Amino acid sequence: MLAVVKKSHSAHRRPQDRRSRRRGTLRRGRTHGGTSTPARQPRAGWGPGPVPMWFIYNPRAMAIQFEIEVTCGGGRLGKLITPHAVVETPVFMPVGTLGSVKGVPQDLLEELGVQILLGNTYHLYLRPGVETVRGLGGLHGFMAWDRAILTDSGGFQVFSLNELRKVTEEGVTFRSHLDGSSHFFSPESSMEAQIGLGADITMAFDECTEFPADPKRTRTSMEMTLRWAERSKRYFEEHKNEVPWKTVSSFEFQVSSDGGDARNSKPETRNLDRTQSLFGIVQGGMDFELRRESALRTVEIGFPGYAIGGLSVGEPREVTREVVEATLEHLPADKPRYLMGVGTPEEIATYAGLGVDMMDCVLPTRAARHGLLFTSEGKVSIKQARYAADAGPLDPACGCRVCRRYSRAYLRHLFAANEVLAQVLNTVHNLSFYLDTMRRVRHSIRLGEGTRSPSGVSSQPKP
Amino acid sequence: MLAVVKKSHSAHRRPQDRRSRRRGTLRRGRTHGGTSTPARQPRAGWGPGPVPMWFIYNPRAMAIQFEIEVTCGGGRLGKLITPHAVVETPVFMPVGTLGSVKGVPQDLLEELGVQILLGNTYHLYLRPGVETVRGLGGLHGFMAWDRAILTDSGGFQVFSLNELRKVTEEGVTFRSHLDGSSHFFSPESSMEAQIGLGADITMAFDECTEFPADPKRTRTSMEMTLRWAERSKRYFEEHKNEVPWKTVSSFEFQVSSDGGDARNSKPETRNLDRTQSLFGIVQGGMDFELRRESALRTVEIGFPGYAIGGLSVGEPREVTREVVEATLEHLPADKPRYLMGVGTPEEIATYAGLGVDMMDCVLPTRAARHGLLFTSEGKVSIKQARYAADAGPLDPACGCRVCRRYSRAYLRHLFAANEVLAQVLNTVHNLSFYLDTMRRVRHSIRLGEGTRSPSGVSSQPKP
């Protein structure tokens, strides 16, 4: 997959122009340090026309594309063109573990501007089961979500949720956390599951190295992840055409008529002739050298995008950042870089500034369920008695449905009374805050302002 | 309060016309048996103009008005004009126990067309507490709901939720089900609480007679309810001007821009110069004579509306219907009649056909939380394995957001996986089904078709 250079960062390009430019332009994006610079002009002569030769010889052009529009410092404003949606990057992906972002209906997610969400293969494999989802057209059909989806490989949960597990070269035998039944995951079976789930982007089956781990253990783990990455890719390439969305969906669903970002809902931005994409994952613990080696060797195997795994596993936050910086250095600039499992609003802004294009984290949704709300004035623990009679909005600077309508007193009451609506409203707000944060980051890159934390964004508790 | 006779059952009368007609027309509605008949013409000469004398002498004209537009058999198509909203009757009122219809945000309720909902004084008194709600502008301000609200008196929960209670002439001493703390409810304190909560319609503090009860006990209980009704009314009349909405609301909230029935959201349909209304409650157990006596003596005390209480307490369903019919006979035709705590979709249609104008029940919301869903094909227990791969909509005849978008398989998965979204979506559908049922009932009355159960409405389990 090659990056496509845009003439300008116009947001109003018509979809058909975008497609012909994709076919017609081959320049690699060049980054200019420091200032916001539009990417270079496409070479003349590559306009709309017959399909160029490289396209015919490059089956990977059918899957995913990544276009960098503007760079600023390390940060990149880009577009990830997936089969189901065009995703603006840097992007934060809410986690919809079991095919649902807990408590938030899909039309509300659309309204919030969510362009891509994450599903957990481990959980969906256990219930409702991959075949059930496959039979309903994959996750998109199953959860009635027609924008982009990314699935993880199941590797992380298999390691983190299961004490009793047996790891061999073949794969991992583990027990379901639900009923203790025995299961086996391998690169091949993980790929099979992810193809059945039908996400736009799938992840290689890796071993998430525990923390802490000594250098020998880290190397051993990293090497196995590389062997598993090869096996993942091999199986994926052989079977990716079995993705369910290539068959007729058995249930036609209606997207809400005022469905958020209309560009992503319109048929012309979707291209289901495409297949899924598989991203590789870099491991190597907290060792810069191992990270470098893992990155280079994963790139050697070759994927359309690369994730940095094995972080946010208990290491100090400064170490996370150092490892991210050290790893990014060795990942190709023209491919999307996905940092898994981070972070706070400040952190996602920071990492975006370093050149991370995609992130996911349960923090906004999980914190919401515990009444911990991110606001422009700091973190609010809504259960506190101080809010019991507070008539003001949760976050005066937030334009989400929750802040425009409800008072802190009401939100506090809902949480204290254990009302389900508390979870719904808290989650809507936290997601809105995260998505707004990323929106501002993208805007800052566009304007050449870098990606320092937007003023007021803070994870510190409210004084 | 006098019923106002409309010239025609036009739905497009301008609010200012409606107000001047209200002032200018005094005819009692007359019902015509059997066929749908528009109510009589207003007397000539009572057009817009200076405020008529009767208006000055009748302070009750400030509170609530009930207009019967069409009658058909026993059923009446009407409008209940409350301070916050015009409510079309017969109406089903969803229950928002703790200031929230569990799991459903207020904008969704608006979209469903909910015009009036019910709050439970007992629960709100315990948390967050009446003073908290009062300070935030009453329940309307607190829960950011600008349509109509009805509160019950707390009498029912005090009797049903509390084993350890002591009843005297003064009132009821009981223990909080939350923390065992001791509390006291009386007609006066219940009125004080309901005034502080600021619902459009409040209920007299009554004793809900247990079932079964012998005639002596039933009479004793009924007599006390009558004495408590007098005390409720006395306190209410003295203090109703303390209703919070007469003070400036401290929190201005925004109703969603596509907020359902726009007529009810527009300022011109609201009149907050008005005070609350207090309805009386008829008791008398299952004894027709006692019911008659209770009805006549409650009417003698005089209220703008009357509820039939003390039913759905374990009696057989046929008995419920018989008691309702026997009681309605003795309630004035020109006042709204509210049957508390019923019922299934079939039942609410049936009672509407007998002449009941208002009903409330936790059934749609509670059943939803248990995965029991009402559909045009019968009751669906969504957790059943038979739905695990069912790609069809929950109810093919339903136009709600849930049925337009999600499959049975997905709803089944959400419920089986204990996802919060299950509760949200199930509740939205069940409420939609109930509200649709009432919509069809009103339409049937308008067309003179009576209120037989709309075809397909059934509470029987799906075969």
Side-chain angles (χ1 to χ4, degrees):
Chain A
M1 189 210 75
L2 303 166
V4 177
V5 166
K6 288 294 168 199
K7 170 176 165 180
S8 75
H9 44 89
S10 155
H12 304 291
R13 199 169 30 255
R14 295 172 300 160
Q16 53 271 37
D17 291 348
R18 183 160 50 224
R19 276 198 290 276
S20 47
R21 282 224 182 83
R22 281 203 299 276
R23 292 188 181 127
T25 55
L26 285 180
R27 295 300 184 101
R28 274 196 165 69
R30 215 161 57 182
T31 67
H32 299 255
T35 54
S36 167
T37 315
R40 268 178 19 202
Q41 291 259 2
R43 210 159 55 187
W46 284 101
V51 174
M53 295 286 275
W54 68 262
F55 189 76
I56 296 168
Y57 291 148
N58 187 358
R60 282 186 302 175
M62 290 294 289
I64 201 173
Q65 277 184 279
F66 183 54
E67 303 174 0
I68 298 167
E69 299 191 344
V70 176
T71 61
C72 178
R76 309 106 71 74
L77 176 72
K79 276 187 165 48
L80 193 61
I81 301 158
T82 73
H84 280 84
V86 175
V87 181
E88 295 172 342
T89 62
V91 65
F92 179 82
M93 305 183 282
V95 178
T97 307
L98 272 156
S100 166
V101 178
K102 295 192 185 310
V104 185
Q106 274 66 312
D107 57 303
L108 260 182
L109 294 175
E110 284 161 354
E111 190 184 280
L112 288 171
V114 174
Q115 300 166 319
I116 178 169
L117 54 81
L118 189 143
N120 291 122
T121 299
Y122 167 85
H123 288 287
L124 292 161
Y125 162 89
L126 290 177
R127 58 178 174 183
V130 173
E131 290 320 301
T132 297
V133 175
R134 187 199 301 267
L136 288 148
L139 257 185
H140 289 92
F142 183 62
M143 59 183 289
W145 176 255
D146 72 343
R147 296 182 183 183
I149 298 177
L150 181 148
T151 47
D152 60 1
S153 66
F156 180 73
Q157 280 85 17
V158 152
F159 285 96
S160 66
L161 289 179
N162 292 274
E163 300 261 331
L164 296 170
R165 62 182 184 274
K166 188 173 160 202
V167 184
T168 66
E169 186 63 31
E170 282 69 44
V172 187
T173 309
F174 64 96
R175 292 198 174 278
S176 156
H177 69 289
L178 296 176
D179 61 6
S181 54
S182 188
H183 299 270
F184 176 73
F185 265 14
S186 66
E188 292 77 15
S189 75
S190 171
M191 289 307 108
E192 184 184 18
Q194 292 187 71
I195 291 169
L197 296 175
D200 298 77
I201 301 172
T202 63
M203 303 303 298
F205 186 69
D206 63 332
E207 180 177 63
C208 180
T209 315
E210 69 277 11
F211 175 83
D214 62 49
K216 187 155 178 262
R217 163 71 191 135
T218 308
R219 169 166 286 282
T220 308
S221 176
M222 180 203 89
E223 300 266 10
M224 186 152 79
T225 286
L226 284 164
R227 293 192 298 274
W228 283 0
E230 297 227 31
R231 286 167 57 186
S232 299
K233 182 177 176 183
R234 196 174 311 127
Y235 188 96
F236 178 80
E237 291 297 331
E238 280 169 29
H239 297 272
K240 63 188 182 185
N241 282 299
E242 295 160 24
V243 65
W245 73 56
K246 282 177 161 283
T247 65
V248 176
S249 183
S250 56
F251 181 64
E252 291 294 317
F253 63 87
Q254 291 186 31
V255 174
S256 55
S257 57
D258 57 346
D261 182 356
R263 281 178 300 163
N264 275 330
S265 301
K266 293 214 162 31
E268 57 264 28
T269 67
R270 293 159 56 183
N271 190 342
L272 301 186
D273 286 336
R274 305 178 146 206
T275 56
Q276 301 165 287
S277 298
L278 172 66
F279 281 17
I281 305 181
V282 176
Q283 293 287 347
M286 311 304 149
D287 186 316
F288 290 10
E289 262 310 302
L290 288 175
R291 283 282 175 179
R292 175 180 165 277
E293 186 178 340
S294 176
L296 295 179
R297 290 172 64 182
T298 308
V299 172
E300 215 177 295
I301 298 171
F303 294 95
Y306 298 94
I308 304 173
L311 291 176
S312 268
V313 288
E315 78 280 6
R317 278 289 179 234
E318 320 80 68
V319 174
T320 319
R321 182 187 171 134
E322 289 166 6
V323 173
V324 168
E325 283 182 291
T327 310
L328 283 175
E329 224 181 297
H330 308 292
L331 291 175
D334 61 345
K335 306 266 195 304
R337 293 94 76 92
Y338 167 25
L339 178 54
M340 306 183 84
V342 299
T344 63
E346 281 171 320
E347 288 167 346
I348 62 175
T350 300
Y351 293 129
L354 296 179
V356 170
D357 306 299
M358 303 159 64
M359 286 165 281
D360 82 279
C361 194
V362 293
L363 183 56
T365 43
R366 186 173 289 170
R369 297 196 291 282
H370 291 94
L372 301 170
L373 307 172
F374 296 96
T375 80
S376 61
E377 297 172 347
K379 216 154 78 175
V380 166
S381 175
I382 197 64
K383 68 182 177 189
Q384 289 180 347
R386 70 201 287 193
Y387 299 119
D390 189 337
L394 170 62
D395 184 352
C398 180
C400 80
R401 276 176 173 264
V402 177
C403 295
R404 278 186 289 130
R405 182 152 192 165
Y406 303 103
S407 63
R408 285 176 174 172
Y410 184 62
L411 295 176
R412 194 256 174 184
H413 159 69
L414 290 179
F415 188 79
N418 206 26
E419 282 283 324
V420 165
L421 191 59
Q423 178 166 333
V424 178
L425 299 184
N426 292 351
T427 304
V428 167
H429 168 77
N430 269 3
L431 280 183
S432 182
F433 191 82
Y434 265 64
L435 296 166
D436 262 353
T437 298
M438 293 312 291
R439 233 171 251 124
R440 287 200 211 103
V441 164
R442 292 194 293 268
H443 193 62
S444 294
I445 300 175
R446 190 189 294 279
L447 297 181
E449 292 168 356
T451 58
R452 58 184 174 282
S453 263
S455 64
V457 170
S458 168
S459 299
Q460 298 308 313
K462 191 172 151 59
Chain B
M1 187 208 78
L2 302 165
V4 176
V5 166
K6 288 295 169 197
K7 171 174 160 178
S8 76
H9 44 88
S10 157
H12 304 292
R13 198 169 32 252
R14 294 173 301 160
Q16 53 269 37
D17 292 347
R18 181 161 50 225
R19 277 198 288 276
S20 48
R21 282 223 183 83
R22 280 203 297 276
R23 292 184 182 130
T25 56
L26 283 179
R27 295 301 183 96
R28 273 192 167 71
R30 215 163 54 187
T31 67
H32 299 255
T35 54
S36 168
T37 316
R40 272 186 4 212
Q41 290 259 1
R43 209 161 51 188
W46 283 101
V51 174
M53 294 287 277
W54 67 262
F55 188 77
I56 296 167
Y57 290 148
N58 187 355
R60 281 187 302 176
M62 290 294 290
I64 201 173
Q65 276 183 280
F66 184 53
E67 304 174 359
I68 298 167
E69 300 192 340
V70 177
T71 62
C72 178
R76 313 104 72 73
L77 177 71
K79 274 183 166 50
L80 191 61
I81 300 158
T82 73
H84 280 85
V86 175
V87 181
E88 297 173 340
T89 63
V91 65
F92 178 81
M93 304 182 283
V95 179
T97 307
L98 271 156
S100 165
V101 178
K102 295 190 185 313
V104 185
Q106 273 68 311
D107 57 303
L108 260 183
L109 294 174
E110 284 162 351
E111 190 184 280
L112 288 172
V114 174
Q115 300 167 316
I116 178 169
L117 53 80
L118 188 144
N120 291 122
T121 299
Y122 167 84
H123 288 287
L124 291 161
Y125 162 89
L126 289 178
R127 58 178 173 184
V130 174
E131 290 319 301
T132 297
V133 176
R134 188 200 301 266
L136 287 148
L139 257 184
H140 290 92
F142 182 62
M143 59 183 288
W145 176 255
D146 72 344
R147 297 181 181 184
I149 299 177
L150 181 148
T151 47
D152 60 1
S153 66
F156 180 73
Q157 279 85 16
V158 153
F159 285 94
S160 66
L161 289 179
N162 292 274
E163 299 263 332
L164 295 170
R165 61 181 186 276
K166 187 173 161 205
V167 185
T168 66
E169 185 64 29
E170 283 67 44
V172 186
T173 309
F174 63 96
R175 293 200 172 279
S176 157
H177 69 288
L178 295 176
D179 61 6
S181 55
S182 188
H183 300 270
F184 176 74
F185 266 14
S186 65
E188 292 78 15
S189 74
S190 170
M191 289 306 107
E192 184 183 21
Q194 292 186 72
I195 291 168
L197 295 175
D200 298 77
I201 301 172
T202 62
M203 303 304 298
F205 185 70
D206 63 333
E207 181 178 62
C208 179
T209 314
E210 69 280 8
F211 175 82
D214 63 47
K216 188 156 178 261
R217 162 71 192 136
T218 308
R219 169 167 284 283
T220 308
S221 176
M222 180 204 89
E223 300 266 9
M224 187 153 77
T225 286
L226 285 164
R227 293 192 298 275
W228 282 0
E230 297 229 31
R231 285 166 59 186
S232 300
K233 183 177 174 181
R234 194 173 311 127
Y235 187 95
F236 178 78
E237 292 296 331
E238 280 170 27
H239 296 272
K240 64 188 181 184
N241 282 299
E242 295 160 23
V243 65
W245 73 57
K246 281 178 162 286
T247 64
V248 177
S249 182
S250 55
F251 181 63
E252 291 294 317
F253 64 87
Q254 293 187 28
V255 173
S256 56
S257 57
D258 58 344
D261 183 357
R263 280 178 301 164
N264 275 330
S265 302
K266 293 213 160 38
E268 56 264 27
T269 67
R270 293 158 57 183
N271 190 344
L272 302 185
D273 286 333
R274 303 175 148 208
T275 57
Q276 301 166 286
S277 297
L278 172 66
F279 281 16
I281 305 180
V282 176
Q283 293 287 345
M286 310 303 149
D287 186 318
F288 290 10
E289 262 310 304
L290 288 176
R291 283 281 176 180
R292 176 180 165 277
E293 186 178 340
S294 176
L296 294 179
R297 290 172 66 182
T298 308
V299 172
E300 214 176 298
I301 298 170
F303 294 96
Y306 298 94
I308 304 173
L311 290 176
S312 270
V313 287
E315 79 279 6
R317 278 288 181 236
E318 321 82 65
V319 174
T320 319
R321 180 184 173 139
E322 290 167 6
V323 174
V324 169
E325 284 183 289
T327 309
L328 285 174
E329 222 181 298
H330 309 291
L331 292 175
D334 62 343
K335 305 267 196 304
R337 295 93 76 91
Y338 167 24
L339 178 54
M340 307 182 85
V342 299
T344 65
E346 282 172 320
E347 288 167 345
I348 61 175
T350 300
Y351 293 130
L354 297 180
V356 170
D357 306 299
M358 301 157 66
M359 286 164 282
D360 81 280
C361 194
V362 294
L363 182 57
T365 42
R366 187 173 288 171
R369 296 196 291 282
H370 290 94
L372 300 169
L373 307 172
F374 296 97
T375 80
S376 61
E377 298 172 348
K379 215 153 80 176
V380 167
S381 175
I382 197 64
K383 68 182 175 189
Q384 289 180 349
R386 70 200 287 191
Y387 300 118
D390 190 338
L394 171 62
D395 185 353
C398 179
C400 80
R401 277 177 172 263
V402 177
C403 294
R404 278 188 288 131
R405 181 152 192 166
Y406 303 103
S407 64
R408 285 175 173 172
Y410 184 62
L411 295 176
R412 194 257 173 184
H413 159 70
L414 291 179
F415 188 80
N418 207 25
E419 282 283 325
V420 164
L421 191 59
Q423 178 166 331
V424 178
L425 299 184
N426 291 350
T427 304
V428 167
H429 167 78
N430 269 3
L431 281 182
S432 181
F433 191 81
Y434 265 65
L435 295 166
D436 262 354
T437 297
M438 293 312 289
R439 233 171 251 124
R440 287 201 212 104
V441 164
R442 292 193 294 269
H443 193 62
S444 294
I445 299 174
R446 189 188 294 279
L447 297 181
E449 292 169 355
T451 57
R452 61 183 172 281
S453 263
S455 65
V457 170
S458 168
S459 299
Q460 298 308 313
K462 191 172 151 63

